[in-house]
Amino acid sequence: MTARSADEGAGAENLGASVSPKPRRKPSAGVSILGSLAATGVTRQVTQSRAGLTDPFADVHFDSMYREDETFVDADDGVRLAARIVNDGDDTTLTVVFVHGFALRMSSWYFQRTALARAWGSATRLVFFDQRGHGRSDPAPAETATMAQLGDDVAAVLRALAPEGPVVVVGHSMGGMATMALARRHPALFGPAGRIVGVGLIATAARGLTEAGVGAGLQNPAVSAFRLAVRRAPWFIQAGRTRARRALEPVLLAASFGPDFYSPATARAVERMIRQTPLNTIVQFLHVLEIHDESAGLPVLATVPSVVICGDEDCMTPFPNSYLVYGVLGENCRLTIVQGAGHMVAMERPTEVNEILDELVQRARAVITARAAIASPVAELSIPDPVADPVPVRRRWWGRRR
């Protein structure tokens, strides 16, 4: 696996020595490239033909998930959330819920749906859903465009599609933030008695994107563009969708991949997701990404096994954000920084990410087994009745003499 991992139990103080990236291009250099890419409106390193290179994902149909049976979940405020369930049989012993990121949809989990469903088999139920305002879910009323509401939506999905049994929640980008909000608002779901037995956080941040970075990661043109877009949102909307999207979409797409990644098919899939996301949704949740702070949920997440994954070329949520999250989650957490990967690391490097998630599920199943052993009554030892003392035999005096 082309990744760097921090062993479980490594302290935050030793993090720099154990997993600090090799001295390659700094995040600020990648960020400056992002600015130029956003200005031109193309991601040349992903989409342009290169001599001798073939697209490894040319034959992938990323939207195939939407051909599967569809179900809907009613959120607490009545917004309908579109969902898909894989392996919904009576023999399931664990459910894994996947929460996608900002301006994306459930099809961003294509590689996880296809590979992990086979690897885990019918004993593991997989649940995918479109967050409010995204994909085929209902639009998000402006007052509900909050991280707290997204956390409540995840809780509603659990109640509807995984009402019983242990659960692992995996969130990417804004989906990871929603998972932290779930922990903050529903802490009873975690811990020794909770149903959630594992958490995966991919390319995410605990605090607003303008605050959570460290050092060079804070100087992010993408974040600056987001803030500008939020301030001018009314003007953008009044000016029309085309003009607004020309300002926003190149930034989002350019931040998605590492500089050496080449897959026009994957780039088109991500671009299609962004373009299909309503402009109102993009503008409303841009502000949420800027101001959110779900740090209070991290101590709750620390009570269950977890993994934190990020690409070292992620310009949207630079990897120092992952270091901060890892430092709080403590000995139950394992950190992996994937070299050369960008923000869409689960699509860009699916094999590495799938291996890490598989290891997380194995750890979660170990927790389930340990809980079952504690809950099962200890069989009472079968102690036989005490052996009765022998009845003395009365003998005649002559018999005793002999």
Side-chain angles (χ1 to χ4, degrees), residues 96-100 109 112 116 120 127 129 167-172 175-176 179 198-202 307 309 353 357 360-361:
V96 183
V97 178
F98 293 84
V99 192
H100 69 76
W109 296 112
Q112 287 66 51
L116 294 178
W120 292 337
V127 173
F129 74 99
V167 177
V168 171
V169 180
V170 179
H172 168 251
T179 303
V199 170
L201 301 175
I202 304 175
V307 295
I309 307 170
V353 172
L357 295 181
L360 171 65
V361 165

Side-chain angles (χ1 to χ4, degrees), residues 185-344:
R185 294 178 61 81
H186 303 273
L189 290 171
F190 300 80
R195 294 182 54 214
I196 295 180
V197 294
V199 170
L201 301 175
I202 304 175
T204 190
R207 299 197 302 270
L209 297 184
T210 58
E211 300 176 3
V214 175
L218 283 172
Q219 309 304 317
N220 193 330
V223 173
S224 300
F226 289 168
R227 299 177 71 181
L228 180 63
V230 171
R231 294 193 195 101
R232 298 185 177 182
W235 176 83
F236 272 152
I237 295 174
Q238 293 173 6
R241 296 173 62 89
T242 301
R243 191 170 185 178
R245 287 190 177 279
R246 285 177 179 173
L248 293 174
E249 288 176 0
V251 176
L252 299 177
L253 185 59
S256 296
F257 303 101
D260 298 325
F261 179 66
Y262 174 74
S263 174
T266 306
R268 286 192 297 268
V270 173
E271 183 180 21
R272 188 163 57 249
M273 294 181 211
I274 295 172
R275 288 185 174 178
Q276 290 174 346
T277 302
L279 183 60
N280 286 345
T281 295
I282 292 178
V283 171
Q284 289 167 3
F285 282 104
L286 283 176
H287 184 60
V288 176
L289 295 177
E290 179 185 5
I291 67 171
H292 94 281
D293 188 342
E294 295 300 334
S295 302
L298 294 180
V300 180
L301 296 180
T303 62
V304 300
S306 61
V307 295
V308 174
I309 307 170
C310 187
D312 69 346
E313 297 289 351
D314 187 341
C315 297
M316 196 80 74
T317 52
F319 61 79
N321 292 279
S322 295
Y323 284 178
L324 293 177
V325 172
Y326 170 77
V328 178
L329 294 185
E331 62 181 11
N332 270 342
C333 181
R334 295 179 181 174
L335 169 69
T336 300
I337 305 298
V338 182
Q339 298 183 40
H343 189 63
M344 299 299 297

Side-chain angles (χ1 to χ4, degrees), residues 2-228:
T2 326
R4 293 184 298 274
S5 298
D7 291 335
E8 186 176 13
E13 311 86 27
N14 301 324
L15 187 58
S18 60
V19 296
S20 63
K22 298 177 182 178
R24 50 185 292 158
R25 189 178 67 219
K26 295 181 179 180
S28 56
V31 166
S32 64
I33 294 175
L34 168 62
S36 63
L37 289 172
T40 59
V42 294
T43 50
R44 287 186 295 269
Q45 82 278 16
V46 179
T47 58
Q48 282 192 348
S49 298
R50 298 184 188 180
L53 292 182
T54 57
D55 186 347
F57 307 129
D59 298 329
V60 171
H61 299 285
F62 289 96
D63 292 332
S64 59
M65 292 177 64
Y66 287 100
R67 301 174 192 156
E68 300 173 2
D69 293 339
E70 185 174 50
T71 187
F72 287 92
V73 174
D74 290 330
D76 298 337
D77 60 350
V79 171
R80 292 201 319 163
L81 307 174
R84 298 289 187 281
I85 308 175
V86 182
N87 295 337
D88 191 23
D90 295 334
D91 60 340
T92 55
T93 57
L94 176 68
T95 300
V96 183
V97 178
F98 293 84
V99 192
H100 69 76
F102 169 71
L104 300 172
R105 50 175 51 197
M106 71 174 80
S107 55
S108 62
W109 296 112
Y110 171 87
F111 292 111
Q112 287 66 51
R113 184 260 176 267
T114 54
L116 294 178
R118 291 194 302 267
W120 292 337
S122 60
T124 304
R125 178 191 295 112
L126 283 70
V127 173
F128 306 88
F129 74 99
D130 288 334
Q131 298 211 60
R132 62 177 54 217
H134 296 73
R136 296 191 181 179
S137 292
D138 287 350
E143 66 277 8
T144 71
T146 66
M147 204 60 70
Q149 182 62 63
L150 296 185
D152 290 347
D153 288 350
V154 179
V157 170
L158 293 182
R159 290 194 302 269
L161 304 183
E164 297 179 349
V167 177
V168 171
V169 180
V170 179
H172 168 251
S173 188
M174 191 172 73
M177 302 169 194
T179 303
M180 299 176 206
L182 172 71
R184 176 177 61 84
R185 294 178 61 81
H186 303 273
L189 290 171
F190 300 80
R195 294 182 54 214
I196 295 180
V197 294
V199 170
L201 301 175
I202 304 175
T204 190
R207 299 197 302 270
L209 297 184
T210 58
E211 300 176 3
V214 175
L218 283 172
Q219 309 304 317
N220 193 330
V223 173
S224 300
F226 289 168
R227 299 177 71 181
L228 180 63

